[in-house]
Amino acid sequence: MTDLLTLAEYEAIARDIDLPAAPFVDGKFRRGGGPMMDTVNPATGQVLTQLSTADQGDVDLAVAKAREAFEQGHWARLHPSDRKEVLIRLCKYMTRRKRELAVMESIDSGKPIRDCELIDVPEAIHCLKWHAEAVDKIYDQAGPAGDDAISLIVREPIGVVAAVLPWNFPLLMLAWKIGPALAAGCSVIVKPAEQTSLTALRVAELAHMAGVPRGVLQVLPGDGAAVGEPLGRHMDVDMVSFTGSTETGRRFLHYAADSNLKKVVLECGGKNPALVLEDAENLDHVAEHVVNAAFWNGGQNCSAASRLIVHKAVKELLMARIEARMRDWKTGNPLDPAHHIGTMIDEDHAAKVRGYLQSDETGPYIVPTILYVGADDPAAREEIFGPVLSVIEVSSTDQAIAVANDTAYGLAASVFTANTRQALRAARDIRAGTVTVNCYGEGDMSTPFGGYKQSGFGGRDNGLHAHDQYTEIKTIWVDLSDPAEGDNIG
């Protein structure tokens, strides 16, 4: 495990980092045609750097270079084992600079440095390495064609991919997308969230150093109107992989419909339930998982368990334990490793979260908060995306499942019970892409991640299933019959 430094040491690293400040296109940083954009540390309000942003002309250039690189085949047709070696070299470069990446992520997003050091950076490296190691071990298929033919079912890289990232896990979501996309042989254009562009730009630079050819991985910072929408509407982009709000995800479906019917994969919002049933064992263990599920990353997590659906028989005992554990979750300077919760991403988002708390405070910090609500309360139905846990009391397992499913979302859920039958029944009946039993989590890199209903569309991140969305399936039919035995013509 990485040893954490002191606040003073992290601040010294932050002062010395040479931050990237321009789009990365065709193997180099180059000034974009869009306006200059301040990259701000949300904890201090300090401008970290002025970032040159991309415009429509930069989008067109990046797509043209991505298409050129794809058609040349220096990456797309490279042997999978050779692509693997390049991606593993990228992982080594990232490992050498993991502390720099962690500090960049923290000062850019307000994430606690302890999470960046212990979770985000190592998980991003693990993701890239996992997909690199998988790519030369995925077999295609032969179909049952009979004696006179051979049918081959093969995967081919889909082409030019636009990866549109969220601001809550900038580096990890970058890895979730470029890992399988690059492993498959695609050319990828990354549009980071305008609030958090720094680590994506650094990784693109390291990827080029590692041997990813020019045009295969490019990064275009800028806002949605200048970069996201042009990528979504571009006639030469073959696929968009998007993680972010459901509202923005809908737009990419419209962009695809209005342009070339490009494939779209969406991983969107969630209002995820944690069900604690009457027979749940070890309430201290339950409380630990519920607190982590609700407040990790300040609740700015699409799979955060922001709804606690608890049986009335254990509610009082459980809430006492949850409130006790919350005292250990200190909020403050993200570069101080003593803090578990940093800032909200910006003041506008902080104000949105405070709207549910009826608070007139200001500033980027919001402490963990519990709301006792009914199932129809807005705080129990809308995605707050902050450190707010809405507690809903129920009197039966059936009611708990019904309340869990009474939402437009279906990303993740957790069930706590000592009864295996009840656990499996709940896991089956809850309409969510991931259901954990007696724990909170998202599975691991080998398990597909995505949602039902308005939480997801078109595919899954992680696991071998992630490779499916970046490939086309082709049938090759070979006729083995003897032409001499066929019908004579003429």
Side-chain angles (χ1 to χ4, degrees):
M1 179 179 290
T2 300
D3 293 326
L4 297 175
L5 304 180
T6 65
L7 170 61
E9 289 172 315
Y10 284 122
E11 288 177 334
I13 294 172
R15 286 193 297 270
D16 292 340
I17 295 177
D18 182 19
L19 298 175
F24 190 84
V25 177
D26 197 30
K28 63 183 179 182
F29 292 110
R30 55 194 300 158
R31 185 178 180 89
M36 300 299 291
M37 179 175 68
D38 288 345
T39 294
V40 177
N41 182 337
T44 65
Q46 172 193 359
V47 176
L48 299 170
T49 185
Q50 276 209 318
L51 192 61
S52 172
T53 64
D55 64 4
Q56 177 75 60
D58 298 305
V59 170
D60 291 338
L61 175 63
V63 173
K65 292 299 182 181
R67 178 61 63 192
E68 179 182 335
F70 185 75
E71 297 299 338
Q72 287 175 343
H74 299 314
W75 184 255
R77 296 188 182 94
L78 195 64
H79 192 281
S81 295
D82 294 327
R83 289 202 300 270
K84 175 181 74 174
E85 292 304 318
V86 173
L87 292 175
I88 289 176
R89 195 177 304 126
L90 168 59
C91 292
K92 291 178 180 178
Y93 288 170
M94 291 175 65
T95 299
R96 291 173 194 164
R97 300 177 73 165
K98 61 183 180 181
R99 186 144 271 158
E100 173 191 316
L101 288 169
V103 172
M104 287 175 66
E105 192 84 333
S106 180
I107 61 177
D108 200 21
S109 68
K111 294 172 68 72
I113 189 64
R114 62 182 301 117
D115 284 0
C116 298
E117 283 258 46
L118 302 179
I119 301 173
D120 294 51
V121 173
E123 281 295 307
I125 294 170
H126 173 61
C127 172
L128 293 173
K129 189 179 296 184
W130 194 94
H131 288 291
E133 291 287 1
V135 69
D136 62 355
K137 302 171 185 67
I138 300 175
Y139 288 81
D140 291 327
Q141 298 170 306
D147 189 55
D148 291 334
I150 291 178
S151 67
L152 305 176
I153 299 95
V154 300
R155 300 167 182 251
E156 296 182 348
I158 197 168
V160 176
V161 172
V164 183
L165 306 182
W167 47 255
N168 58 334
F169 290 92
L171 181 61
L172 188 53
M173 293 302 100
L174 171 74
W176 277 24
K177 296 187 186 304
I178 70 171
L182 291 178
C186 298
S187 295
V188 186
I189 302 167
V190 176
K191 190 274 180 202
E194 50 264 40
Q195 300 96 329
T196 52
S197 300
L198 298 182
T199 48
L201 290 166
R202 178 68 81 230
V203 169
E205 180 184 22
L206 296 177
H208 185 63
M209 292 168 54
V212 174
R214 293 167 52 180
V216 171
L217 179 60
Q218 304 175 93
V219 179
L220 300 180
D223 63 22
V227 180
E229 182 174 349
L231 283 171
R233 294 186 180 277
H234 205 289
M235 296 296 291
D236 208 22
V237 170
D238 300 300
M239 181 222 169
V240 170
S241 178
F242 168 83
T243 296
S245 70
T246 300
E247 177 186 1
T248 303
R250 291 178 192 273
R251 296 178 190 169
F252 280 97
L253 294 178
H254 285 288
Y255 300 156
D258 293 342
S259 57
N260 60 341
L261 286 180
K262 59 179 60 67
K263 290 189 176 180
V264 177
V265 174
L266 306 177
E267 197 273 282
C268 298
K271 191 66 178 175
N272 310 290
L275 284 66
V276 182
L277 305 184
E278 184 177 12
D279 62 348
E281 293 181 313
N282 191 347
L283 294 183
D284 288 316
H285 168 83
V286 176
E288 178 183 358
H289 280 266
V290 168
V291 169
N292 183 54
F295 304 127
W296 171 42
N297 200 40
Q300 298 173 120
N301 178 12
C302 58
S303 64
S306 55
R307 289 187 296 157
L308 174 60
I309 302 172
V310 56
H311 194 284
K312 62 182 181 181
V314 295
K315 177 183 173 184
E316 185 175 345
L317 293 172
L318 177 62
M319 295 314 301
R321 288 164 170 79
I322 287 175
E323 290 172 3
R325 287 197 171 270
M326 285 172 59
R327 289 193 283 270
D328 295 330
W329 281 64
K330 301 185 186 305
T331 303
N333 186 344
L335 283 181
D336 187 338
H339 295 146
H340 287 73
I341 298 178
T343 70
M344 299 293 96
I345 187 63
D346 55 32
E347 181 55 42
D348 287 343
H349 184 64
K352 174 197 170 223
V353 174
R354 287 195 180 94
Y356 291 91
L357 308 179
Q358 298 180 343
S359 169
D360 57 4
E361 295 182 2
T362 60
Y365 297 101
I366 297 180
V367 298
T369 303
I370 293 174
L371 299 178
Y372 294 90
V373 298
D376 292 329
D377 190 283
R381 304 190 68 83
E382 299 171 6
E383 188 179 35
I384 299 174
F385 225 60
V388 180
L389 176 63
S390 299
V391 180
I392 304 165
E393 180 184 305
V394 294
S395 57
S396 70
T397 298
D398 287 342
Q399 184 186 7
I401 294 172
V403 172
N405 285 333
D406 186 20
T407 174
Y409 300 109
L411 187 57
S414 301
V415 181
F416 295 87
T417 175
N419 186 304
T420 302
R421 183 188 65 81
Q422 281 206 122
L424 292 175
R425 177 193 164 199
R428 181 199 65 193
D429 290 347
I430 293 172
R431 294 188 55 76
T434 298
V435 181
T436 58
V437 176
N438 291 327
C439 65
Y440 165 73
E442 297 176 351
D444 63 15
M445 198 52 61
S446 69
T447 57
F449 180 81
Y452 288 27
K453 299 187 279 188
Q454 293 183 32
S455 287
F457 177 90
R460 292 290 188 265
D461 290 316
N462 296 346
L464 294 180
H465 295 76
H467 289 250
D468 293 341
Q469 65 195 32
Y470 299 107
T471 57
E472 293 280 18
I473 302 299
K474 175 179 285 185
T475 296
I476 299 176
W477 186 275
V478 182
D479 187 353
L480 299 181
S481 62
D482 187 347
E485 297 178 359
D487 293 336
N488 293 322
I489 299 176

